[in-house]
Structure formats: C-alpha cells, structure tokens
Amino acid sequence: MTSATPTLLYIDDDAALARLVERGLTRAGYKVVHAASGQEGLDRLAQGGIDVVALDQYMPGLDGLETLEQILKIADAPPVVFVTASQDSAIAVTALKAGAADYLVKDVRGEFIPLLQVAVNGAVRRAAIQKARDEAEAEVHASRDRYAALAAEREVLLREVNHRVGNSLQIIASLLHLQANSSTQQDVKAALTNAMGRVAAVAQVHRRLYTSHDFKTVMLNQYLEALLEDLRRSAEGNKMSRLTLKAEPVEIDPDRAVAIGIIVNELVMNAVKYAYPDGAGPIHVELKPDADDLQLAISDEGVGFSDKADPRGTGMGQRIVAAMAVKLDASVERDPSHKGTRFVVRFARVTPAPAKSTSAAAS
C-alpha cells in the first residue's frame, strides 16, 4: 500500500538535474531518493519502500531499457516512468512495450518537472488501482477455493451419512427378514415382511445416494431395479420369480424416490398376496414419461380386484399408498379395463412449486 508520503526513486547520472527533480517533487508531496546508475537504482529497490521510479535512458553501465528489464523482474515492482533527453520515438515505444507506465522527454533546465509530477501521480494511482484489483481477484479465487474445499468436505460427509444410514436401515430390514422367516404365524410373518419391504425401500435410496456423484437426484429406474431385487430376496421371494421391471432412465429427487419406492413395495406385495391364490404369476412394474409427468404402473394377470378382498387385511397398505400419493401430489387409479389388476400412479417429474396464498397474491 502506498504511504501518505510516497517515495520516488529517480535514477539518472545527472546529479544537478536530480537536485532539481528532488526540489520540485518534494514540494509536490514526494520523498525523492536519487540513484546515479542503473545498478545503484536496483540496489536501492532491493531495500524496499519505493512507490514509483523515474528512469533515465542514457547512463554508464546499465542503460535505462536494461535497468527497466531488471526492475520488472522484481516481485511487486513499482511503476516506472521512463525519462530521457532523446527525441527518438523508438525508445519510447520500446520502453512502453517493455512495461513502462509512462514516458516523457526531459530538458536540462528542469522544465519537464511539472510533467514528471503528473506522470508519477498517474502511475502511482494506476498502480494502486491495479493492486486493489489484483487483491480483489485473489480474494475471489481464494473464496472459490474455500467454497470448493467446503463443498468437497460436505460431499464426503453426506456420502458417509448416507452410507451409515443405508447400512443401518439394511440391518433393520435383515432383522425383520430373519424374524419373518422364523415366525409360525402367517399374519405376523406378513406384517414383518411388509415392514421389511418398507424399510428396504428407504435404505435403497440412501444406498443410491452413497454411490452417486450427485446427492440431489436418484436414477429412478436403477433404484426401482435394486428395490425389486430386494423384494425377490424377501420372505415372499418364491412368489416373485416373474416380477419384472420396464423403466426408462429418469432422475428424481431423493424424497420423491422414497415415496415412489414405498408405493411400489405396497402394490407389489398386494399383488403377491391376492392376485394368484393358487400360486405365483407375473407381476409387472413399468415407468415411463407421460408429457411433463411420469407414469408408474403396477399390474398382474391374476384373479382381478373384486376377488381380492381379504377380511384379514388391515388396510394399512392402502393408507400408506394414499399417504405417499399425497406426498408426491400424485393420482393413483385402478385401470378397470385390465385383465387382473393394474394400478397407475401419475406424478410430476419435478416437485410442484407451492401455490401462493390469496393474501400474498393480493399484495
């Protein structure tokens, strides 16, 4: 940062002219330091504390252009105003191309000193602006780096959380599976199997998130395939040998994936229980786009809906499907034209925006 009294290093082998510059620039608010050669000027710059340099071209030893080249190699070098008695424009162009902040022609009587004052003022001001810009850009880059580091750390933490939650839920599902297999009461076995499927539906979402590069979405087709594979391995797995999935690639947010998975679990288990009283049969799950919505269909080729009423049923599955449909803002309809039973669930591809209240709209 430039001090309240900026320091000018005047590099020129003309001692008399240097005294005139010192007198004129001191009155203008500068502290002036004189160096009689290019090397002496470089040595003084190495000590620090110089805000701007005025540099002559013709000097013994290093000339002005050679000295300028060495100055610009210094980290955070101060701006350089090239000052020479030569009228040769080639020197001016060369100096400016090399990196000089300004150029002016001097005279032996010091009449150029007011121009020098204007030039060094402008050079100092531009250098301060450039330094502030560089510092701002460096801060932006540092902020981006910090944000990237925090985002990477957050991703690792989220991945670990999903991994642990998924593992814990899978353990619970496995315990329910073991308990269902060991139970001799059919209603208890059925309740435990249903509970296991519901837990597995949630666990699969966390497993998808753990292995995904994007924690905001889940590939719904891959999730449903894994979920159906869990159902095939369940206590009712011997009745699901013909459970199939036909699904197009679709991305969806994790919360909605959980609701869809639970609906699929309930409707598939309903088909397993009631569609084929005499054994097992095909059960189909199909997911496809429908304009801006998605259509999910679960169907069987069994005895039909009217013959499935089971007085032992608690209605829990229907209530869960209804609750998940509300969460999805979905419609659930039975296809009356289908031989067997076919439920069709329609829902938006993305979460619908909340409706504005009347009072908010009026304001």
Side-chain angles (χ1 to χ4, degrees):
M1 181 179 293
T2 304
S3 59
T5 302
T7 299
L8 165 70
L9 174 61
Y10 184 70
I11 305 176
D12 191 340
D13 61 334
D14 188 333
L17 198 54
R19 286 192 293 272
L20 292 177
V21 170
E22 181 178 6
R23 187 178 305 123
L25 271 294
T26 299
R27 286 197 297 265
Y30 283 84
K31 177 182 177 182
V32 179
V33 178
H34 176 230
S37 68
Q39 187 57 56
E40 185 179 334
L42 293 172
D43 293 341
R44 178 60 187 85
L45 279 169
Q47 300 174 27
I50 301 300
D51 298 300
V52 62
V53 176
L55 174 63
D56 184 33
Q57 164 61 11
Y58 297 106
M59 296 180 292
L62 295 174
D63 66 18
L65 290 174
E66 293 169 333
T67 305
L68 175 63
E69 181 182 358
Q70 295 301 314
I71 291 174
L72 295 178
K73 292 179 180 179
I74 301 172
D76 297 324
V80 178
V81 175
F82 215 77
V83 182
T84 181
S86 173
Q87 299 285 345
D88 187 355
S89 60
I91 294 178
V93 171
T94 302
L96 292 173
K97 284 185 175 180
D102 207 342
Y103 177 93
L104 59 91
V105 177
K106 69 178 181 179
D107 62 274
V108 295
R109 292 177 296 182
E111 294 178 359
F112 73 98
I113 291 175
L115 296 177
L116 177 60
Q117 177 188 340
V118 173
V120 296
N121 283 345
V124 169
R125 183 170 58 253
R126 290 192 298 272
I129 293 172
Q130 184 61 48
K131 185 175 182 180
R133 183 184 296 117
D134 292 343
E135 289 175 351
E137 290 179 356
E139 180 58 31
V140 168
H141 289 308
S143 298
R144 288 176 180 170
D145 291 343
R146 288 194 296 270
Y147 176 80
L150 288 172
E153 182 180 359
R154 176 179 177 272
E155 181 175 322
V156 170
L157 291 174
L158 283 173
R159 196 178 298 278
E160 181 63 22
V161 166
N162 281 302
H163 181 49
R164 294 188 180 187
V165 171
N167 281 350
S168 297
L169 291 172
Q170 192 58 51
I171 290 172
I172 295 171
S174 299
L175 292 174
L176 291 170
H177 177 63
L178 290 173
Q179 191 67 50
N181 284 342
S182 64
S183 177
T184 58
Q185 301 179 44
Q186 289 303 313
D187 56 343
V188 173
K189 182 188 290 285
L192 290 172
T193 300
N194 288 342
M196 182 199 71
R198 293 158 189 158
V199 172
V202 181
Q204 272 295 343
V205 169
H206 289 282
R207 194 177 302 166
R208 294 287 113 193
L209 292 174
Y210 170 60
T211 57
S212 172
H213 295 294
D214 182 6
F215 294 103
K216 296 180 180 179
T217 60
V218 171
M219 290 302 297
L220 189 54
N221 55 311
Q222 296 175 2
Y223 164 60
L224 290 176
E225 180 57 52
L227 179 61
L228 296 190
E229 184 58 34
D230 282 346
L231 289 174
R232 294 186 190 102
R233 292 195 299 263
S234 70
E236 301 285 348
N238 61 324
K239 298 181 181 180
M240 298 189 194
S241 59
R242 298 175 65 184
L243 176 60
T244 64
L245 171 68
K246 183 180 179 182
E248 297 186 27
V250 173
E251 284 186 316
I252 200 164
D253 66 90
D255 287 342
R256 290 159 67 75
V258 168
I260 294 163
I262 291 175
I263 288 175
V264 169
N265 175 77
E266 298 302 323
L267 294 178
V268 167
M269 293 305 296
N270 188 66
V272 168
K273 290 177 187 178
Y274 304 127
Y276 304 103
D278 299 327
I283 302 172
H284 307 293
V285 179
E286 182 180 6
L287 174 72
K288 64 180 182 180
D290 182 11
D292 293 333
D293 297 338
L294 295 173
Q295 177 179 294
L296 175 69
I298 297 91
S299 61
D300 61 63
E301 300 169 17
V303 296
F305 186 81
S306 61
D307 297 325
K308 293 181 183 178
D310 187 341
R312 296 172 298 174
T314 64
M316 175 63 74
Q318 295 179 17
R319 292 198 295 272
I320 290 175
V321 169
M324 293 301 101
V326 170
K327 182 178 179 66
L328 284 171
D329 194 19
S331 65
V332 181
E333 298 176 351
R334 183 171 62 87
D335 181 358
S337 64
H338 182 76
K339 179 183 176 181
T341 300
R342 182 172 184 261
F343 282 98
V344 178
V345 184
R346 288 185 176 86
F347 53 94
R349 195 182 281 261
V350 296
T351 305
K356 294 182 179 180
S357 65
T358 305
S359 58
S363 64

